[in-house]
Amino acid sequence: MSRVPRADRLPLSRERILAAALEVLDADGLEGLTMRRLADTLGVGAMSLYRHVTDRDDLLDLVVEGILAETEIPASTGGWRTDLEAIARAARVGLLRHRGATVLVTTRLGLGRGGLAAVERTLGVLRAAGFDDATAVAANRALGNLVAGAVLYEAAGLGGAQGDDRARRRDQGRALMAALPEDEFPNLRAAAGAMFAVSADAAFDAGLAALLDGFEGLLARGHA
Amino acid sequence: MSRVPRADRLPLSRERILAAALEVLDADGLEGLTMRRLADTLGVGAMSLYRHVTDRDDLLDLVVEGILAETEIPASTGGWRTDLEAIARAARVGLLRHRGATVLVTTRLGLGRGGLAAVERTLGVLRAAGFDDATAVAANRALGNLVAGAVLYEAAGLGGAQGDDRARRRDQGRALMAALPEDEFPNLRAAAGAMFAVSADAAFDAGLAALLDGFEGLLARGHA
DNA sequence: CCGTCTTGCGTACATTGTACGCCTTGCGTA
DNA sequence: TACGCAAGGCGTACAATGTACGCAAGACGG
């Protein structure tokens, strides 16, 4: 059944591949995650990977599942609102741990166990709070979409691609902002300061709070 | 100065390239949009494209800008809330017109004029409604993130890749749902019906309404 | 000791983006 | 009218990538 590998080198496995993939991903971004590069990182031939992974696509699924597994959902604290806040924040932080993969995660959600666990928790909190199924589903989706959008935006905004682009894009953004015609984009110009001043955390929390306020109102008015 | 092309074939241009790119994109998805395929569609050699586009990346930027230009933002109707609703809905619908490009658009936002116009409008509505700059920025971001998340989710959910996958993924989703262990995912199981029953439009509108409710409360309480 | 199963791998190929340089075309100018 | 030239289309070529195929080496059961 279970073969024992040569003693001088521990055998390949999906786990080891996943770990190396995350490493490469964080270092070189999604485009840098090639089969050969990954194999090199593992000190292994490129084709060896295919014994444990059917496809590059399969590899990416593995990465997504790994990231989701890595982001743990906090336990309940009692209140539905604080629970949802905690879940959403944890999800955002967790997904931002591997910025190169945000596109993957937001694109391939809903397939494996990892995503389902978060949905299960969220639905559980909502239904326990008294939301009916339809509203709970909508609220869950809205929360997920908000997190997905935020994560994507933040990952891209700081330099979607690789390290160096980061500073470049930010400067580019500022310059572009300053170069906008005042008469055509007055509000952008006026709010530009606030735009760069607001921290990503604060902006996310504000949006999240507003959304939860909204659902709280629904519940209070019995429309849920 | 301006050369006249041969009469039998109108010359290449960014506009024509854009149109063809959208066509290919809608037909074959993002992965199907290769330089050669695009050139073929235009009845032209692959390298000819590079006279008008520096990169594939540049081409994708062109596509994004084209899609944004295509999605027109509705004019003001008077109320800030209905305005924001209209803008968000229009954005969602507009971006969903080319499902293969949702990843692009949500990833490359904030670069060109197209995205900025929507932000300008949104900020204008918010600031005119009495929101301070910081809150307006946060609200704009939340709205954008919600739209981005929804668009991505819907595009991926109906078959992120190409036509055939659509039915496959949906069936896969249902099957996966039914196969979930009852004791581990009770809420998912219970809400599964509602999950597939709720239309994407309704779900989006519900989330949007809740978010706007939240900001309305902020404004009413003077916290904006 | 021998088949056999597992797993790593070398080679090879199709597909992609794109650098380079040629060639045609039609204009402006002399 | 003739010339030269710039713009724009294109053929060839190459590097990088995903991956099919089949071989080889080791470990295990008999």
Short mmCIF file of all heavy atoms in Angstrom, two decimals, chain B residues 13-66:
data_model
loop_
_atom_site.label_atom_id
_atom_site.label_comp_id
_atom_site.label_asym_id
_atom_site.label_seq_id
_atom_site.Cartn_x
_atom_site.Cartn_y
_atom_site.Cartn_z
N SER B 13 -7.28 50.00 -36.75
CA SER B 13 -7.30 51.13 -35.82
C SER B 13 -7.63 50.59 -34.44
O SER B 13 -8.11 49.46 -34.32
CB SER B 13 -8.36 52.16 -36.23
OG SER B 13 -9.65 51.58 -36.07
N ARG B 14 -7.36 51.34 -33.45
CA ARG B 14 -7.68 50.88 -32.10
C ARG B 14 -9.16 50.58 -31.98
O ARG B 14 -9.56 49.64 -31.31
CB ARG B 14 -7.27 51.93 -31.06
CG ARG B 14 -5.76 52.09 -30.96
CD ARG B 14 -5.37 52.92 -29.73
NE ARG B 14 -5.53 52.18 -28.52
CZ ARG B 14 -4.54 51.90 -27.65
NH1 ARG B 14 -3.33 52.32 -27.89
NH2 ARG B 14 -4.76 51.22 -26.56
N GLU B 15 -9.96 51.39 -32.62
CA GLU B 15 -11.41 51.18 -32.53
C GLU B 15 -11.79 49.82 -33.12
O GLU B 15 -12.53 49.05 -32.49
CB GLU B 15 -12.15 52.29 -33.30
CG GLU B 15 -12.11 53.64 -32.63
CD GLU B 15 -10.72 54.28 -32.71
OE1 GLU B 15 -10.00 54.01 -33.69
OE2 GLU B 15 -10.35 55.01 -31.78
N ARG B 16 -11.29 49.55 -34.31
CA ARG B 16 -11.63 48.27 -34.94
C ARG B 16 -11.09 47.10 -34.12
O ARG B 16 -11.73 46.07 -33.96
CB ARG B 16 -11.09 48.22 -36.36
CG ARG B 16 -11.87 49.12 -37.33
CD ARG B 16 -11.52 48.78 -38.76
NE ARG B 16 -11.76 47.36 -39.03
CZ ARG B 16 -11.02 46.62 -39.84
NH1 ARG B 16 -9.97 47.16 -40.46
NH2 ARG B 16 -11.30 45.35 -40.04
N ILE B 17 -9.90 47.29 -33.61
CA ILE B 17 -9.31 46.23 -32.78
C ILE B 17 -10.16 46.00 -31.54
O ILE B 17 -10.45 44.86 -31.18
CB ILE B 17 -7.86 46.60 -32.40
CG1 ILE B 17 -6.98 46.56 -33.65
CG2 ILE B 17 -7.34 45.68 -31.32
CD1 ILE B 17 -5.53 46.90 -33.38
N LEU B 18 -10.59 47.08 -30.94
CA LEU B 18 -11.42 46.96 -29.75
C LEU B 18 -12.70 46.19 -30.05
O LEU B 18 -13.08 45.26 -29.32
CB LEU B 18 -11.75 48.35 -29.20
CG LEU B 18 -12.83 48.40 -28.13
CD1 LEU B 18 -12.45 47.55 -26.93
CD2 LEU B 18 -13.10 49.83 -27.70
N ALA B 19 -13.35 46.57 -31.12
CA ALA B 19 -14.61 45.92 -31.47
C ALA B 19 -14.41 44.43 -31.67
O ALA B 19 -15.16 43.60 -31.15
CB ALA B 19 -15.19 46.56 -32.74
N ALA B 20 -13.37 44.08 -32.41
CA ALA B 20 -13.09 42.68 -32.67
C ALA B 20 -12.73 41.95 -31.38
O ALA B 20 -13.13 40.80 -31.16
CB ALA B 20 -11.96 42.55 -33.69
N ALA B 21 -11.99 42.62 -30.53
CA ALA B 21 -11.57 42.00 -29.28
C ALA B 21 -12.79 41.66 -28.43
O ALA B 21 -12.87 40.58 -27.85
CB ALA B 21 -10.63 42.93 -28.52
N LEU B 22 -13.73 42.57 -28.37
CA LEU B 22 -14.94 42.30 -27.59
C LEU B 22 -15.71 41.13 -28.19
O LEU B 22 -16.25 40.29 -27.46
CB LEU B 22 -15.83 43.56 -27.56
CG LEU B 22 -15.32 44.67 -26.65
CD1 LEU B 22 -16.21 45.90 -26.74
CD2 LEU B 22 -15.23 44.19 -25.21
N GLU B 23 -15.70 41.08 -29.49
CA GLU B 23 -16.39 39.99 -30.18
C GLU B 23 -15.75 38.65 -29.80
O GLU B 23 -16.45 37.71 -29.37
CB GLU B 23 -16.26 40.23 -31.68
CG GLU B 23 -17.20 39.45 -32.56
CD GLU B 23 -16.94 39.80 -34.02
OE1 GLU B 23 -16.90 41.01 -34.34
OE2 GLU B 23 -16.75 38.87 -34.83
N VAL B 24 -14.46 38.57 -29.95
CA VAL B 24 -13.75 37.34 -29.61
C VAL B 24 -13.93 37.01 -28.13
O VAL B 24 -14.17 35.85 -27.75
CB VAL B 24 -12.25 37.48 -29.93
CG1 VAL B 24 -11.49 36.27 -29.42
CG2 VAL B 24 -12.04 37.65 -31.42
N LEU B 25 -13.84 38.02 -27.32
CA LEU B 25 -13.97 37.83 -25.88
C LEU B 25 -15.32 37.21 -25.55
O LEU B 25 -15.41 36.25 -24.77
CB LEU B 25 -13.84 39.19 -25.20
CG LEU B 25 -13.68 39.20 -23.69
CD1 LEU B 25 -12.36 38.59 -23.31
CD2 LEU B 25 -13.78 40.60 -23.16
N ASP B 26 -16.36 37.74 -26.12
CA ASP B 26 -17.70 37.22 -25.84
C ASP B 26 -17.85 35.80 -26.36
O ASP B 26 -18.56 34.99 -25.78
CB ASP B 26 -18.76 38.13 -26.46
CG ASP B 26 -18.82 39.48 -25.75
OD1 ASP B 26 -18.35 39.56 -24.60
OD2 ASP B 26 -19.32 40.44 -26.35
N ALA B 27 -17.18 35.52 -27.44
CA ALA B 27 -17.32 34.19 -28.05
C ALA B 27 -16.47 33.16 -27.33
O ALA B 27 -16.95 32.05 -27.04
CB ALA B 27 -16.94 34.26 -29.53
N ASP B 28 -15.24 33.50 -27.04
CA ASP B 28 -14.29 32.49 -26.55
C ASP B 28 -13.72 32.77 -25.18
O ASP B 28 -12.83 32.04 -24.73
CB ASP B 28 -13.13 32.36 -27.55
CG ASP B 28 -13.60 31.79 -28.87
OD1 ASP B 28 -14.78 31.43 -28.95
OD2 ASP B 28 -12.79 31.71 -29.81
N GLY B 29 -14.17 33.81 -24.54
CA GLY B 29 -13.65 34.09 -23.21
C GLY B 29 -12.28 34.73 -23.25
O GLY B 29 -11.68 34.91 -24.33
N LEU B 30 -11.79 35.05 -22.09
CA LEU B 30 -10.53 35.79 -21.97
C LEU B 30 -9.36 34.98 -22.49
O LEU B 30 -8.46 35.51 -23.13
CB LEU B 30 -10.31 36.18 -20.51
CG LEU B 30 -9.15 37.11 -20.22
CD1 LEU B 30 -9.25 38.36 -21.06
CD2 LEU B 30 -9.10 37.44 -18.76
N GLU B 31 -9.36 33.70 -22.22
CA GLU B 31 -8.24 32.85 -22.64
C GLU B 31 -8.25 32.68 -24.16
O GLU B 31 -7.21 32.43 -24.76
CB GLU B 31 -8.33 31.48 -21.98
CG GLU B 31 -8.77 31.53 -20.54
CD GLU B 31 -7.86 30.73 -19.64
OE1 GLU B 31 -7.64 29.55 -19.92
OE2 GLU B 31 -7.36 31.32 -18.64
N GLY B 32 -9.43 32.77 -24.73
CA GLY B 32 -9.52 32.63 -26.17
C GLY B 32 -9.08 33.87 -26.92
O GLY B 32 -8.92 33.84 -28.14
N LEU B 33 -8.92 34.93 -26.20
CA LEU B 33 -8.53 36.20 -26.83
C LEU B 33 -7.03 36.24 -27.02
O LEU B 33 -6.31 36.88 -26.26
CB LEU B 33 -9.01 37.37 -25.97
CG LEU B 33 -8.69 38.77 -26.50
CD1 LEU B 33 -9.26 38.97 -27.89
CD2 LEU B 33 -9.23 39.83 -25.55
N THR B 34 -6.55 35.55 -28.02
CA THR B 34 -5.12 35.56 -28.32
C THR B 34 -4.86 36.53 -29.46
O THR B 34 -5.77 36.88 -30.21
CB THR B 34 -4.63 34.17 -28.74
OG1 THR B 34 -5.12 33.89 -30.06
CG2 THR B 34 -5.15 33.10 -27.79
N MET B 35 -3.63 36.94 -29.56
CA MET B 35 -3.29 37.91 -30.60
C MET B 35 -3.59 37.34 -31.99
O MET B 35 -4.13 38.03 -32.86
CB MET B 35 -1.82 38.28 -30.50
CG MET B 35 -1.44 38.91 -29.18
SD MET B 35 -2.45 40.33 -28.72
CE MET B 35 -1.52 41.68 -29.42
N ARG B 36 -3.26 36.09 -32.18
CA ARG B 36 -3.48 35.49 -33.50
C ARG B 36 -4.96 35.37 -33.83
O ARG B 36 -5.40 35.68 -34.93
CB ARG B 36 -2.80 34.12 -33.56
CG ARG B 36 -1.28 34.23 -33.69
CD ARG B 36 -0.59 32.86 -33.69
NE ARG B 36 0.40 32.78 -32.62
CZ ARG B 36 1.72 32.91 -32.78
NH1 ARG B 36 2.20 33.13 -33.97
NH2 ARG B 36 2.53 32.84 -31.77
N ARG B 37 -5.70 34.92 -32.82
CA ARG B 37 -7.14 34.77 -33.04
C ARG B 37 -7.77 36.13 -33.35
O ARG B 37 -8.60 36.25 -34.24
CB ARG B 37 -7.77 34.18 -31.78
CG ARG B 37 -9.27 34.12 -31.76
CD ARG B 37 -9.77 32.70 -31.98
NE ARG B 37 -11.21 32.61 -31.76
CZ ARG B 37 -12.11 33.19 -32.54
NH1 ARG B 37 -11.71 33.93 -33.56
NH2 ARG B 37 -13.40 33.05 -32.29
N LEU B 38 -7.37 37.11 -32.62
CA LEU B 38 -7.88 38.45 -32.84
C LEU B 38 -7.53 38.94 -34.24
O LEU B 38 -8.36 39.51 -34.96
CB LEU B 38 -7.30 39.40 -31.79
CG LEU B 38 -7.68 40.86 -31.88
CD1 LEU B 38 -9.18 41.05 -31.86
CD2 LEU B 38 -7.02 41.66 -30.77
N ALA B 39 -6.29 38.69 -34.62
CA ALA B 39 -5.85 39.11 -35.95
C ALA B 39 -6.65 38.40 -37.02
O ALA B 39 -7.08 39.02 -38.01
CB ALA B 39 -4.36 38.82 -36.11
N ASP B 40 -6.87 37.11 -36.84
CA ASP B 40 -7.65 36.34 -37.80
C ASP B 40 -9.03 36.97 -37.96
O ASP B 40 -9.53 37.14 -39.08
CB ASP B 40 -7.81 34.90 -37.32
CG ASP B 40 -6.59 34.06 -37.66
OD1 ASP B 40 -5.65 34.61 -38.28
OD2 ASP B 40 -6.55 32.87 -37.30
N THR B 41 -9.66 37.27 -36.83
CA THR B 41 -10.99 37.86 -36.87
C THR B 41 -11.00 39.14 -37.69
O THR B 41 -11.98 39.45 -38.37
CB THR B 41 -11.46 38.17 -35.43
OG1 THR B 41 -11.51 36.95 -34.70
CG2 THR B 41 -12.83 38.80 -35.43
N LEU B 42 -9.88 39.85 -37.64
CA LEU B 42 -9.80 41.10 -38.39
C LEU B 42 -9.28 40.87 -39.81
O LEU B 42 -9.12 41.82 -40.57
CB LEU B 42 -8.90 42.08 -37.65
CG LEU B 42 -9.50 42.71 -36.40
CD1 LEU B 42 -8.43 43.27 -35.49
CD2 LEU B 42 -10.48 43.80 -36.80
N GLY B 43 -9.00 39.63 -40.14
CA GLY B 43 -8.48 39.33 -41.46
C GLY B 43 -7.11 39.95 -41.69
O GLY B 43 -6.85 40.55 -42.72
N VAL B 44 -6.23 39.76 -40.73
CA VAL B 44 -4.99 40.52 -40.69
C VAL B 44 -3.92 39.65 -40.05
O VAL B 44 -4.23 38.70 -39.34
CB VAL B 44 -5.28 41.80 -39.86
CG1 VAL B 44 -4.23 42.03 -38.82
CG2 VAL B 44 -5.48 42.99 -40.75
N GLY B 45 -2.69 39.92 -40.32
CA GLY B 45 -1.61 39.17 -39.68
C GLY B 45 -1.48 39.55 -38.23
O GLY B 45 -1.83 40.65 -37.83
N ALA B 46 -0.96 38.60 -37.46
CA ALA B 46 -0.89 38.83 -36.02
C ALA B 46 -0.06 40.07 -35.69
O ALA B 46 -0.44 40.91 -34.87
CB ALA B 46 -0.30 37.61 -35.33
N MET B 47 1.06 40.19 -36.36
CA MET B 47 1.96 41.28 -36.00
C MET B 47 1.43 42.66 -36.37
O MET B 47 1.92 43.68 -35.88
CB MET B 47 3.32 41.05 -36.65
CG MET B 47 4.07 39.89 -36.07
SD MET B 47 4.02 39.88 -34.28
CE MET B 47 5.02 41.30 -33.90
N SER B 48 0.44 42.67 -37.20
CA SER B 48 -0.12 43.97 -37.59
C SER B 48 -0.74 44.67 -36.40
O SER B 48 -0.78 45.91 -36.34
CB SER B 48 -1.17 43.77 -38.68
OG SER B 48 -0.62 43.11 -39.78
N LEU B 49 -1.23 43.88 -35.47
CA LEU B 49 -1.88 44.48 -34.30
C LEU B 49 -0.92 45.38 -33.54
O LEU B 49 -1.31 46.39 -32.96
CB LEU B 49 -2.38 43.37 -33.37
CG LEU B 49 -3.42 42.43 -33.98
CD1 LEU B 49 -3.71 41.28 -33.03
CD2 LEU B 49 -4.69 43.20 -34.29
N TYR B 50 0.36 45.00 -33.58
CA TYR B 50 1.32 45.71 -32.75
C TYR B 50 1.64 47.11 -33.25
O TYR B 50 2.35 47.86 -32.60
CB TYR B 50 2.60 44.87 -32.62
CG TYR B 50 2.40 43.68 -31.71
CD1 TYR B 50 1.95 42.47 -32.22
CD2 TYR B 50 2.62 43.78 -30.35
CE1 TYR B 50 1.75 41.39 -31.39
CE2 TYR B 50 2.42 42.70 -29.51
CZ TYR B 50 1.98 41.50 -30.04
OH TYR B 50 1.78 40.43 -29.22
N ARG B 51 1.11 47.45 -34.41
CA ARG B 51 1.25 48.83 -34.87
C ARG B 51 0.31 49.74 -34.09
O ARG B 51 0.48 50.95 -34.06
CB ARG B 51 0.92 48.93 -36.35
CG ARG B 51 1.92 48.28 -37.26
CD ARG B 51 3.13 49.15 -37.47
NE ARG B 51 4.15 48.46 -38.24
CZ ARG B 51 5.40 48.86 -38.34
NH1 ARG B 51 5.78 49.96 -37.73
NH2 ARG B 51 6.26 48.18 -39.05
N HIS B 52 -0.71 49.16 -33.49
CA HIS B 52 -1.74 49.98 -32.85
C HIS B 52 -1.85 49.70 -31.35
O HIS B 52 -2.54 50.42 -30.64
CB HIS B 52 -3.09 49.70 -33.52
CG HIS B 52 -3.06 49.88 -34.99
ND1 HIS B 52 -3.36 51.07 -35.61
CD2 HIS B 52 -2.71 49.04 -35.99
CE1 HIS B 52 -3.23 50.94 -36.91
NE2 HIS B 52 -2.83 49.71 -37.18
N VAL B 53 -1.19 48.66 -30.93
CA VAL B 53 -1.27 48.23 -29.54
C VAL B 53 0.13 47.79 -29.15
O VAL B 53 0.78 47.07 -29.90
CB VAL B 53 -2.26 47.05 -29.45
CG1 VAL B 53 -1.89 46.13 -28.33
CG2 VAL B 53 -3.69 47.55 -29.33
N THR B 54 0.61 48.27 -28.02
CA THR B 54 2.00 47.96 -27.70
C THR B 54 2.17 46.55 -27.19
O THR B 54 3.19 45.91 -27.42
CB THR B 54 2.54 48.93 -26.63
OG1 THR B 54 1.90 48.61 -25.39
CG2 THR B 54 2.22 50.36 -27.00
N ASP B 55 1.15 46.05 -26.53
CA ASP B 55 1.24 44.83 -25.76
C ASP B 55 -0.06 44.08 -25.81
O ASP B 55 -1.06 44.65 -26.22
CB ASP B 55 1.39 45.21 -24.29
CG ASP B 55 2.75 44.99 -23.77
OD1 ASP B 55 3.38 44.01 -24.20
OD2 ASP B 55 3.15 45.74 -22.92
N ARG B 56 -0.07 42.88 -25.30
CA ARG B 56 -1.36 42.28 -25.00
C ARG B 56 -1.97 43.02 -23.81
O ARG B 56 -3.18 43.22 -23.74
CB ARG B 56 -1.21 40.79 -24.66
CG ARG B 56 -2.53 40.15 -24.30
CD ARG B 56 -2.50 38.64 -24.44
NE ARG B 56 -3.84 38.10 -24.41
CZ ARG B 56 -4.40 37.57 -23.31
NH1 ARG B 56 -3.73 37.52 -22.19
NH2 ARG B 56 -5.64 37.11 -23.35
N ASP B 57 -1.14 43.42 -22.91
CA ASP B 57 -1.60 44.17 -21.76
C ASP B 57 -2.30 45.45 -22.19
O ASP B 57 -3.35 45.81 -21.67
CB ASP B 57 -0.40 44.51 -20.87
CG ASP B 57 -0.74 44.38 -19.40
OD1 ASP B 57 -1.12 43.26 -19.01
OD2 ASP B 57 -0.63 45.37 -18.68
N ASP B 58 -1.70 46.10 -23.13
CA ASP B 58 -2.29 47.33 -23.65
C ASP B 58 -3.65 47.02 -24.27
O ASP B 58 -4.62 47.76 -24.10
CB ASP B 58 -1.36 47.95 -24.68
CG ASP B 58 -1.84 49.32 -25.13
OD1 ASP B 58 -2.43 50.04 -24.30
OD2 ASP B 58 -1.64 49.67 -26.30
N LEU B 59 -3.70 45.91 -24.97
CA LEU B 59 -4.97 45.49 -25.57
C LEU B 59 -6.03 45.30 -24.49
O LEU B 59 -7.18 45.75 -24.63
CB LEU B 59 -4.77 44.18 -26.33
CG LEU B 59 -6.05 43.52 -26.84
CD1 LEU B 59 -6.65 44.32 -27.97
CD2 LEU B 59 -5.80 42.08 -27.28
N LEU B 60 -5.64 44.67 -23.41
CA LEU B 60 -6.61 44.43 -22.33
C LEU B 60 -7.06 45.74 -21.70
O LEU B 60 -8.23 45.91 -21.37
CB LEU B 60 -5.99 43.49 -21.29
CG LEU B 60 -5.64 42.10 -21.84
CD1 LEU B 60 -5.13 41.20 -20.72
CD2 LEU B 60 -6.83 41.46 -22.53
N ASP B 61 -6.12 46.66 -21.55
CA ASP B 61 -6.51 47.97 -21.06
C ASP B 61 -7.53 48.60 -22.00
O ASP B 61 -8.51 49.20 -21.57
CB ASP B 61 -5.28 48.88 -20.95
CG ASP B 61 -4.48 48.60 -19.69
OD1 ASP B 61 -5.01 47.92 -18.80
OD2 ASP B 61 -3.33 49.06 -19.61
N LEU B 62 -7.26 48.45 -23.27
CA LEU B 62 -8.17 48.98 -24.28
C LEU B 62 -9.56 48.37 -24.10
O LEU B 62 -10.58 49.07 -24.15
CB LEU B 62 -7.63 48.66 -25.67
CG LEU B 62 -8.39 49.21 -26.86
CD1 LEU B 62 -8.36 50.72 -26.87
CD2 LEU B 62 -7.83 48.65 -28.17
N VAL B 63 -9.59 47.09 -23.90
CA VAL B 63 -10.87 46.40 -23.72
C VAL B 63 -11.60 46.93 -22.50
O VAL B 63 -12.79 47.24 -22.55
CB VAL B 63 -10.64 44.87 -23.58
CG1 VAL B 63 -11.88 44.19 -23.06
CG2 VAL B 63 -10.23 44.29 -24.92
N VAL B 64 -10.87 47.05 -21.40
CA VAL B 64 -11.49 47.57 -20.17
C VAL B 64 -12.07 48.95 -20.41
O VAL B 64 -13.23 49.22 -20.09
CB VAL B 64 -10.45 47.63 -19.04
CG1 VAL B 64 -11.00 48.41 -17.86
CG2 VAL B 64 -10.05 46.23 -18.62
N GLU B 65 -11.26 49.78 -21.01
CA GLU B 65 -11.73 51.15 -21.26
C GLU B 65 -12.95 51.14 -22.18
O GLU B 65 -13.89 51.91 -21.99
CB GLU B 65 -10.58 51.96 -21.87
CG GLU B 65 -10.66 53.45 -21.59
CD GLU B 65 -10.74 53.75 -20.11
OE1 GLU B 65 -10.20 52.96 -19.29
OE2 GLU B 65 -11.34 54.77 -19.76
N GLY B 66 -12.91 50.25 -23.14
CA GLY B 66 -14.04 50.15 -24.05
C GLY B 66 -15.31 49.74 -23.34
O GLY B 66 -16.39 50.30 -23.57
#
